[in-house]
């Protein structure tokens, strides 16, 4: 096992992303929302995503359905589903992707 440290990068205004661990089959990423109103803009990707709310409160929209999530909540976002969120209370989301999001590694020096 090799432990590697990844830098924090700005994902969106008020949102910092940090890869925590990765292999070709799986990636774990922390998204820290620093301010109320910060957004994870709507997007989609071919990866299956699992999100765990470590802290804070968010309005999450997945495939046109919006739900409010808070600390301890988790859910799965299917491949290619359009999704995004708005921060209602600053906090951190822990996202797991399968397979790995290679685009996140290309933005990490």
């Amino acid at each position: 096992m090799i432990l590697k440290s990844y830098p924090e990068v700005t994902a969106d205004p008020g949102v910092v992303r940090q890869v925590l661990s990765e292999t070709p089959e799986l990636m774990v990423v922390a998204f820290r929302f620093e301010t109320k109103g910060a957004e994870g803009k709507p997007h989609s990707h071919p990866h299956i995503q699992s999100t765990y709310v470590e802290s804070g409160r968010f309005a999450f929209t997945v495939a046109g359905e919006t739900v409010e999530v808070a600390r301890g909540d988790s859910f799965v976002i299917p491949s290619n589903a359009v999704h995004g969120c708005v921060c209602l209370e600053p906090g951190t989301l822990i996202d797991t992707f399968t397979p790995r999001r290679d685009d996140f590694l290309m933005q990490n020096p």
Side-chain angles (χ1 to χ4, degrees):
M1 173 176 66
I2 298 174
L3 294 178
K4 185 172 178 184
S5 178
Y6 298 90
E8 293 182 339
V9 297
T10 300
D12 282 307
V15 183
V16 175
R17 178 182 74 231
Q18 183 177 26
V19 172
L20 300 178
S21 59
E22 52 88 13
T23 68
E25 301 82 15
L26 185 69
M27 175 180 265
V28 181
V29 181
F31 286 87
R32 190 174 72 246
F33 287 74
E34 299 174 325
T35 57
K36 180 179 178 178
E39 293 183 60
K41 302 219 183 312
H43 64 284
S44 65
H45 45 73
H47 313 81
I48 297 170
Q49 174 179 334
S50 172
T51 295
Y52 171 75
V53 183
E54 179 180 83
S55 61
R57 210 165 41 88
F58 302 86
F60 231 100
T61 302
V62 178
E65 180 182 345
T66 302
V67 296
E68 189 173 309
V69 295
R71 183 175 184 238
D73 290 336
S74 65
F75 51 95
V76 172
I77 300 170
S79 177
N80 296 312
V82 175
H83 59 283
C85 68
V86 175
C87 179
L88 303 175
E89 177 183 301
T92 300
L93 300 173
I94 304 296
D95 289 349
T96 303
F97 300 94
T98 185
R100 170 179 67 198
R101 293 276 311 254
D102 288 338
D103 57 322
F104 287 178
L105 293 177
M106 294 174 7
Q107 296 174 8
N108 284 317

